[in-house]
Amino acid sequence: MNARISAALFMSHVPAIGVAVDLARTDEPYWQPLFDGIRPAREWIADNPPDVVVLVYNDHGNAFSLRMIPTFALGMAPSYEPADEGWGPRPVPTVDGHPALSAHLAQSLIPAGFDLTLVNEMTVDHGLTVPLTMMFDQPAAWPCRVVPLAVNVVQHPAPSGRRCLELGKAIRAAVDSFDEDLTVQVWGTGGMSHQLQGPRAGLINREFDHDFLERLVADPEGLADVPNVDYLREAGSEGVELVMWLIARGALADLGGGPPPREAHRLYHVPASNTAVGQLILENSPA
Ligand code: DHB
Ligand code: FE
C-alpha cells in the first residue's frame, strides 16, 4: 500500500505560544482562551495521528541567515535539533525526520520543475516547533516523523501563492507514489495578520484573516492568484507567511479532481503576542 495524505492542517507559529507552554503559563488569563481554543485540534489529532508530517514553515534567521535564504528548502536529515534562537534552544524533543520520504519527494518534485534546495543538516526554530507544540503539547518524544519544508518569506520576493499551491499539488502526487504504508499530513504554518516592526507594528486585520480562511477552504484556486503585495499591505509584513498555507491546501485531493475536503476544526483568536492566531483542519474525504 502506498502513502496517502489524510489531512492538511494550518496554523500560526507565534513564538510566545511556545514560551507559554514551556513555562507552564497556559492557565493564565491571557493564554487560557487560546489553549481552550486549540483543544479540539489536539483531540482531533489524537484520533487521527499522522505517521509523518510534511511541515511547511519558515526559518527566522536560525538555520539560514541573511547570507543565504533558499526559496524552498527540503530537509533530508534523519533528525533536526531545535535551534538556539538567542535564549538557548526550546526544551522540546529532537525532531525525527524521514529521509526515505524526503529522498522520494526530491526525486519527484525536482524533475517536475520545483528546484528545491536539499538540506542535509539543519536546526529548526519556532516556525517548526511551535506548531508541533500546539498540536502535541509536551510529549517526551514527538509522536510522528517530520519532513521540514522551509520557505523564504523573510526576504523579498517570497514565492507567489500560485507557485505555492502548485507545489502542494506536486507534493500530493509525490506522496501518493511513495511505496510505503504511511499516513501523511501536510501542515502549512505561519501567519495570520501581523507586522513586527515599523510604523504599522501591531497591525491585525480580522476581516482579511477571516476572508483568507473562507477562501482557503472554498476558493483555493482564486486565492492562489492574490499577489504577495496584497498580503503585505493588508496582513502586514509578516502576514505574507500565509502563502505557505497554500502549499498545504494544494496537497488536498480536491485540487486533483477528488471530492472537497471536510472542515474538522477552525479557530481564530486575537491576540497572541503581536499576532492573530488561526488554526484550521481540513480532512481529505475518502475517494
Ligand atoms: C511574532 C510572530 C512571528 O511570526 C514571529 O516569527 C516572531 C514573533 C510575534 O507575534 O511576536
Ligand atoms: Fe514568524
Side-chain angles (χ1 to χ4, degrees):
M1 191 174 176
N2 278 11
R4 73 226 142 256
I5 292 176
S6 60
L9 278 66
F10 310 85
M11 74 200 84
S12 311
H13 64 218
V14 189
I17 295 174
V19 175
V21 173
D22 299 344
L23 301 182
R25 292 188 170 164
T26 57
D27 290 336
E28 291 179 3
Y30 181 84
W31 289 110
Q32 196 184 15
L34 174 73
F35 286 93
D36 285 348
I38 68 177
R39 188 175 303 126
R42 288 177 167 180
E43 289 168 2
W44 178 89
I45 209 160
D47 292 337
N48 298 276
D51 297 311
V52 187
V53 171
V54 177
L55 206 158
V56 183
Y57 74 107
N58 67 293
D59 177 74
H60 299 75
N62 292 296
F64 310 122
S65 73
L66 289 178
R67 289 182 61 207
M68 181 194 65
I69 306 180
T71 297
F72 295 116
L74 184 67
M76 310 297 288
S79 66
Y80 308 89
E81 293 297 330
D84 185 337
E85 303 184 44
W87 296 270
R90 288 190 62 210
V92 294
T94 298
V95 175
D96 286 330
H98 196 302
L101 180 58
S102 294
H104 177 78
L105 288 171
Q107 284 167 17
S108 304
L109 295 169
I110 292 174
F114 295 92
D115 302 325
L116 308 173
T117 297
L118 305 182
V119 186
N120 294 318
E121 199 182 317
M122 68 176 176
T123 57
V124 288
D125 72 10
H126 68 269
L128 186 137
T129 64
V130 166
L132 289 173
T133 298
M134 286 175 72
M135 295 309 297
F136 298 125
D137 200 4
Q138 289 182 299
W142 298 119
C144 60
R145 292 167 185 270
V146 175
V147 172
L149 176 58
V151 179
N152 169 38
V153 287
V154 172
Q155 180 173 353
H156 179 78
S160 67
R162 170 55 56 191
R163 186 69 170 154
C164 288
L165 192 77
E166 297 304 323
L167 175 57
K169 293 177 190 176
I171 289 172
R172 181 181 53 76
V175 169
D176 285 353
S177 66
F178 186 57
D179 183 19
E180 213 179 292
D181 181 8
L182 288 180
T183 298
V184 178
Q185 295 174 358
V186 184
W187 294 11
T189 68
M192 297 194 78
S193 59
H194 63 303
Q195 171 145 346
L196 300 179
Q197 72 282 305
R200 300 200 308 164
L203 178 147
I204 303 281
N205 186 340
R206 288 179 168 79
E207 199 183 332
F208 179 94
D209 289 338
H210 283 298
D211 184 60
F212 180 89
L213 288 166
E214 278 304 311
R215 294 185 73 188
L216 190 71
V217 175
D219 179 28
E221 292 284 354
L223 188 61
D225 289 329
V226 171
N228 284 0
V229 69
D230 287 18
Y231 291 91
L232 295 166
R233 187 180 59 244
E234 302 296 331
S237 51
E238 280 71 40
V240 74
E241 290 176 348
L242 283 170
V243 293
M244 295 186 289
W245 294 30
L246 285 161
I247 297 178
R249 183 65 181 89
L252 288 172
D254 61 327
L255 295 181
R262 191 186 82 83
E263 182 172 326
H265 167 72
R266 188 189 298 208
L267 169 75
Y268 185 71
H269 175 85
V270 177
S273 181
N274 303 295
T275 306
V277 175
Q279 193 181 44
L280 180 69
I281 298 176
L282 298 179
E283 291 174 349
N284 255 341
S285 308

